[in-house]
Amino acid sequence: MSYSIRRLGPEDLEAYRALRLEALTNHPEAFLTSAEGFAQRSDDEIRQMLENLAVFGAETADGELVGMNAFVRNDGLKERHRGWMVQVYVAPDHRGTGLSKALCEHLIEYARRHVLQVHLGVWAENVTAIKLYERLGFSVYGTEPRYLFVNGRFIDEHMMVRFLDRDAVQQQGTLESNSNV
């Protein structure tokens, strides 16, 4: 199956709302936002979020939104070099197709123009996601114990980072250019 990935905008409000609510309902352990809290957000609040965040969506050939993630950059002068990958979700029927990897790579390429490093948080028991992020160059730098309390149990969260300015391709270029000095 083929997909296209693009940045979502206010015109995508209904499709985004439906997929985000599906993610929050089916995987409450994976997200800080609750399905109940998100369901209460007004269309204006969601439109504002779609304008302020860089939200990327993956669509099937017939235009169905089946995956998403979002990028947010830290605002403070001393932390503008950092950004976050958030809201990562792919509908169950499209998992295992490479779509999650493609969405993450798309976001990383976008982030490369804005920050030096991308952070994310992932449920410590989500081995599949952790392995994907590691293949994409992220590494765990800490674990926040009891990050969430969901359905009567505590959820630990791994914090991961990828240093875009240390990527192998960039390092290779730096090493080659320095060897000519």
Side-chain angles (χ1 to χ4, degrees):
M1 177 168 276
S2 67
Y3 304 97
S4 61
I5 298 173
R6 66 177 177 85
R7 186 168 177 177
L8 301 180
E11 68 279 2
D12 299 300
L13 180 132
E14 290 306 319
Y16 168 78
R17 180 191 287 277
L19 190 62
R20 180 78 171 136
L21 195 54
E22 175 185 314
L24 297 170
T25 301
N26 293 341
H27 298 284
E29 71 286 342
F31 302 100
L32 182 60
T33 303
S34 70
E36 299 80 15
F38 183 77
Q40 293 175 2
R41 291 192 181 162
S42 70
D43 286 352
D44 286 340
E45 288 175 298
I46 294 174
R47 260 189 223 97
Q48 180 87 30
M49 188 191 60
L50 287 169
E51 289 174 0
N52 293 337
L53 290 177
V55 179
F56 300 101
E59 297 176 318
T60 60
D62 64 358
E64 179 187 7
L65 186 65
V66 295
M68 66 181 174
N69 62 9
F71 173 80
V72 61
R73 179 180 174 183
N74 289 40
D75 287 333
L77 187 59
K78 295 180 180 181
E79 57 183 350
R80 296 173 105 177
H81 64 288
R82 300 179 339 140
W84 289 84
M85 180 164 42
V86 297
Q87 298 187 14
V88 181
Y89 180 73
V90 170
D93 291 347
H94 300 274
R95 293 178 189 159
T97 65
L99 181 56
S100 295
K101 181 177 184 242
L103 268 167
C104 291
E105 287 173 338
H106 187 88
L107 184 142
I108 290 164
E109 287 310 307
Y110 175 85
R112 197 178 293 286
R113 298 188 303 269
H114 301 280
V115 296
L116 296 177
Q117 61 199 60
V118 177
H119 294 256
L120 61 85
V122 60
W123 178 31
E125 295 178 30
N126 190 344
V127 176
T128 303
I130 293 165
K131 285 182 180 180
L132 169 65
Y133 298 141
E134 288 174 340
R135 283 193 311 272
L136 290 167
F138 287 86
S139 57
V140 173
Y141 65 90
T143 301
E144 190 162 349
R146 296 181 167 196
Y147 181 69
L148 299 175
F149 188 72
V150 179
N151 296 328
R153 68 183 275 228
F154 289 107
I155 303 295
D156 294 348
E157 180 169 272
H158 286 324
M159 297 166 292
M160 301 184 81
V161 64
R162 176 171 169 181
F163 297 106
L164 303 176
D165 59 333
R166 295 183 188 168
D167 282 351
V169 172
Q170 290 182 354
Q171 285 181 353
Q172 176 91 17
T174 302
L175 292 174
E176 288 173 359
S177 64
N178 288 339
S179 65
N180 295 330
V181 175

